[in-house]
Amino acid sequence: MTEHTKQYDAIIIGSGFGGLYALHHLRDQMGLRVRAFDGAGGVGGTWWYNRYPGARVDAPSSPFYAYTFSQELVDEWEWTETQTPGPSVLAYLEHVAERFDLLEDIQFETWVTDARYDEAGQRWTIETDTGETASAQFLVCAVGALFVANMPDYPGINEFAGECFHTGRWPHEKVSFAGKRVGVIGTGSSGIQSIPEIAKEAEHVTVFQRTPQYALPARNRPLTRDEISRYREDWDDLRTSMRRRGGWPFKTNRRRASDHTPEERHAVYEELWEQGGIHLSINSYVGVLADEDLNGEVSEFVRSKIRSIVRDPETARKLMPDYHFATKRLILDNGYFETYNRDNVSLVDLREDPIEAFTPSSVRTKHGEHPIDMLVLATGFDAVSGSMLKLNPKGRGGLSLAQKWQARFDNYLGTTIAGFPNLFMIHGPGAPGVFFTMPLGGELTTAWIADCIRHVREKDLGAVEATEEAEASWDREINEIADRTLYPRTNSWYMGANIPGKPRQFLGHLRGSHYFDRLSEVADAGYEGFAFEPARESGASD
Ligand code: NA7
């Protein structure tokens, strides 16, 4: 720390959904001195970076994938489609930043290169790539669950001479595919959303698929005036339902598969398929994500749909997913499978024809060579833990997070880490994150963090820190929930399986509503599982 070190009560890293709300809440509702830092050139986090063609919210979106805290905001923002396009989400976040005067307290194009806890001062000091230092009692990491791009390291890939873009780092300028042969690696949400758009323009698209996916029709459509008015009028109730029903306001069906004949069940699946969105997953029968036989039946139903859409049987065969339905992030598509009926799209199944190397102008697989002018990497992210590890804060005794998280992403409540006092995560490992509506999840998490900070300040304490015992029991708690489902049996980014060498651990809390109840219980029990330090003379309240 130098005399030029700026002093705050709280520093926030990131200005996506989580960081923006944290700034608003801590500054405007608590009156703290707060500064936010973001390496990007503007607000938006994930939505600032993921500008690939076709990007949309891949969950029931408008108007639920949005902030819930302000009725005025709900009343004034005009959502237009049921599945919000990426540029609209970004425009919304820009509007929020202006409307709540947040921009003046965010420093853009400023990477936080180091964050260190000073035990004597009970404060965090950060350094930035602009040569600044700043210090605060509390560090709030809203660094994004899907931020650190996963870059494949195939032999020769760096020698590829054509244009190359990762979907999570898409250029701000329009990318033209016209007259180009485009190779796309990856068929998660980003690949499945972008491939139909790229195919409309490109001369040829070759899709390199490692894992075929269950994608459900999004059935995107314009929102009606009536729907919007109803949502606005009922907003309080909707918000309460979202909080109680796992992030979404929909009532889920509690019917049992055993009460129906196979024919009746098939009719239910058909109806939910036609309805589109995630209904087949949340609204068919109780236990789809836990009962292997039931899940197998739904899996087979989706496979039959893929077969009926894709005309070439060989391509359809390659597109057959074989993992448990919905245990990887369920994808909502807009004409993905239909795209394979175009003459200018071909599919390479990497399980039988793996990539061996890149040349400056082609991808060489075991059975052939695929000339390409452009490479699109839709290869996803080092999800959830990756962005915290990129920040790599140094806690008590100089211990770095990379050292602490070598074998396991230990944390308590998905928000705090033993050995890292006064540091909070939003959507960290062990939190519901993508298993709950993220904007509302961020609001609820921030409210809890704010209460915890208030507790520390009102009691003249200097530091709050999770205990290792609490971390161990939290780990058991979230794994017990996950182990009752089929999720841990699938190689997904939820399990860290997409990144070579990443520890295998379920990275989320599957019962979002229950999770927020647990946060309240912990606070009500006097912050059970936390140790507090009295404030030292020299430090905390500077
Ligand atoms: P995802 O869902 O992680 O998808 C990445 C895709 O890229 C997936 O099909 C991967 O196959 C594939 N992949 C990753 N690495 C490679 C290599 N080395 N070779 C071939 N294929 C590879 O990322 P998205 O960006 O699509 O979506 C991320 C989240 O954003 C999504 O879940 C939503 O919540 C929004 P795999 O399945 O791992 O075998």
Side-chain angles (χ1 to χ4, degrees):
M1 215 172 354
T2 70
E3 60 188 287
H4 302 296
T5 303
K6 297 190 184 108
Q7 308 288 328
Y8 303 100
D9 296 318
I11 287 171
I12 297 168
I13 307 179
S15 67
F17 264 105
L20 280 184
Y21 181 72
L23 174 57
H24 169 64
H25 191 111
L26 298 184
R27 188 193 69 179
D28 300 336
Q29 298 196 19
M30 286 186 71
L32 300 185
R33 292 169 301 162
V34 188
R35 187 79 172 155
F37 294 86
D38 199 316
V43 299
T46 292
W47 298 102
W48 198 84
Y49 289 100
N50 283 261
R51 297 174 187 235
Y52 60 84
R56 286 177 185 273
V57 178
D58 64 341
S61 64
S62 315
F64 311 114
Y65 184 83
Y67 290 120
T68 71
F69 68 92
S70 158
Q71 179 73 45
E72 294 75 31
L73 186 57
V74 173
D75 289 345
E76 72 198 17
W77 188 257
E78 297 293 334
W79 295 111
T80 55
E81 296 172 67
T82 54
Q83 201 195 11
T84 319
S88 302
V89 182
L90 187 58
Y92 169 76
L93 288 170
E94 286 166 353
H95 168 74
V96 169
E98 275 180 34
R99 192 191 187 290
F100 293 96
D101 295 325
L102 301 176
L103 293 171
E104 65 201 48
D105 289 311
I106 309 172
Q107 198 166 318
F108 295 111
E109 294 181 340
T110 307
W111 283 103
V112 176
T113 50
D114 196 28
R116 279 175 193 275
Y117 185 66
D118 165 17
E119 289 179 55
Q122 296 170 305
R123 295 174 74 80
W124 283 91
T125 301
I126 62 148
E127 287 176 22
T128 70
D129 65 350
T130 49
E132 294 157 88
T133 56
S135 152
Q137 188 178 4
F138 301 100
L139 184 66
V140 178
C141 303
V143 288
L146 299 164
F147 172 66
V148 177
N150 173 33
M151 305 300 267
D153 67 346
Y154 290 112
I157 194 165
N158 294 329
E159 271 81 70
F160 175 66
E163 295 165 282
C164 177
F165 306 110
H166 190 284
T167 46
R169 289 287 176 280
W170 202 259
H172 291 199
E173 312 73 53
K174 186 173 163 27
V175 172
S176 170
F177 307 103
K180 293 177 189 162
R181 295 163 303 177
V182 182
V184 181
I185 302 183
T187 51
S189 279
S190 307
I192 285 181
Q193 290 182 341
S194 59
I195 288 163
E197 298 303 316
I198 298 171
K200 283 178 196 160
E201 205 186 312
E203 181 184 310
H204 191 87
V205 180
T206 308
V207 178
F208 298 91
Q209 169 196 266
R210 184 162 78 180
T211 306
Q213 299 278 8
Y214 298 100
L216 306 179
R219 309 268 186 240
N220 183 40
R221 59 169 177 79
L223 279 164
T224 65
R225 298 298 325 154
D226 270 6
E227 281 173 306
I228 295 172
S229 306
R230 228 175 328 114
Y231 291 142
R232 286 178 176 154
E233 278 161 30
D234 298 343
W235 192 250
D236 274 350
D237 290 346
L238 285 168
R239 184 181 200 272
T240 308
S241 297
M242 287 163 75
R243 162 71 179 83
R244 296 255 56 97
R245 294 196 180 118
W248 308 113
F250 316 119
K251 267 199 181 131
T252 49
N253 210 306
R254 306 303 298 159
R255 67 191 144 201
R256 308 208 149 268
S258 54
D259 293 340
H260 281 181
T261 63
E263 292 71 30
E264 286 168 334
R265 290 200 294 272
H266 197 269
V268 166
Y269 304 147
E270 280 289 353
E271 189 191 323
L272 296 173
W273 175 270
E274 281 315 309
Q275 212 174 326
I278 59 168
H279 290 284
L280 185 63
S281 157
I282 62 167
N283 249 338
S284 54
Y285 293 97
V286 173
V288 169
L289 281 156
D291 178 326
E292 215 167 331
D293 291 341
L294 177 59
N295 187 286
E297 189 173 89
V298 179
S299 303
E300 186 46 39
F301 171 79
V302 180
R303 284 192 288 265
S304 74
K305 285 292 178 193
I306 300 171
R307 271 185 220 107
S308 73
I309 297 170
V310 179
R311 286 199 288 268
D312 173 37
E314 178 58 9
T315 304
R317 183 187 65 77
K318 292 180 194 167
L319 286 166
M320 288 300 122
D322 58 5
Y323 59 92
H324 296 298
F325 168 72
T327 52
K328 279 162 102 79
R329 174 72 173 198
L330 198 54
I331 296 167
L332 304 185
D333 83 276
N334 290 285
Y336 172 67
F337 295 115
E338 289 82 350
T339 298
Y340 289 97
N341 294 332
R342 298 177 66 110
D343 292 338
N344 67 335
V345 178
S346 50
L347 177 65
V348 177
D349 182 349
L350 298 180
R351 295 169 304 175
E352 49 195 35
D353 189 10
I355 294 175
E356 292 190 331
F358 277 74
T359 75
S361 59
S362 69
V363 185
R364 255 198 298 112
T365 59
K366 189 172 171 198
H367 299 305
E369 179 149 6
H370 309 271
I372 54 169
D373 306 303
M374 182 193 283
L375 179 62
V376 172
L377 299 171
T379 43
F381 304 91
D382 181 356
V384 188
S385 54
S387 44
M388 279 304 295
L389 283 169
K390 190 170 165 65
L391 174 67
N392 197 21
K394 321 294 179 307
R396 232 180 244 296
L399 181 81
S400 75
L401 190 63
Q403 288 168 314
K404 161 124 186 166
W405 277 1
Q406 245 167 22
R408 219 167 160 78
F409 306 110
D410 289 328
N411 68 82
Y412 181 41
L413 306 175
T415 55
T416 55
I417 307 166
F420 295 76
N422 293 355
L423 177 149
F424 298 96
M425 299 180 285
I426 298 178
H427 304 312
V434 297
F435 296 103
F436 195 82
T437 306
M438 292 184 93
L440 175 58
E443 287 177 32
L444 296 168
T445 307
T446 297
W448 185 88
I449 293 170
D451 285 345
C452 185
I453 290 176
R454 190 177 291 112
H455 179 87
V456 169
R457 289 166 66 90
E458 283 177 1
K459 299 248 181 283
D460 280 332
L461 299 164
V464 53
E465 181 182 353
T467 66
E468 288 185 353
E469 296 73 36
E471 285 189 330
S473 99
W474 183 246
D475 193 33
R476 280 194 298 278
E477 191 170 330
I478 59 170
N479 280 298
E480 273 167 23
I481 296 170
D483 288 344
R484 279 183 242 140
T485 72
L486 299 167
Y487 281 105
R489 300 208 215 157
T490 296
N491 286 331
S492 66
W493 61 256
Y494 298 155
M495 291 296 294
N498 63 330
I499 303 293
K502 184 166 174 171
R504 292 292 172 97
Q505 175 182 346
F506 194 73
L507 288 167
H509 188 297
L510 281 173
R511 294 179 59 206
S513 299
H514 171 74
Y515 167 86
F516 291 108
D517 291 343
R518 290 285 290 118
L519 288 190
S520 303
E521 277 169 26
V522 166
D524 293 346
Y527 291 95
E528 191 177 24
F530 287 97
F532 289 92
E533 261 180 17
R536 298 209 180 92
E537 295 281 309
S538 59
S541 56
D542 279 0

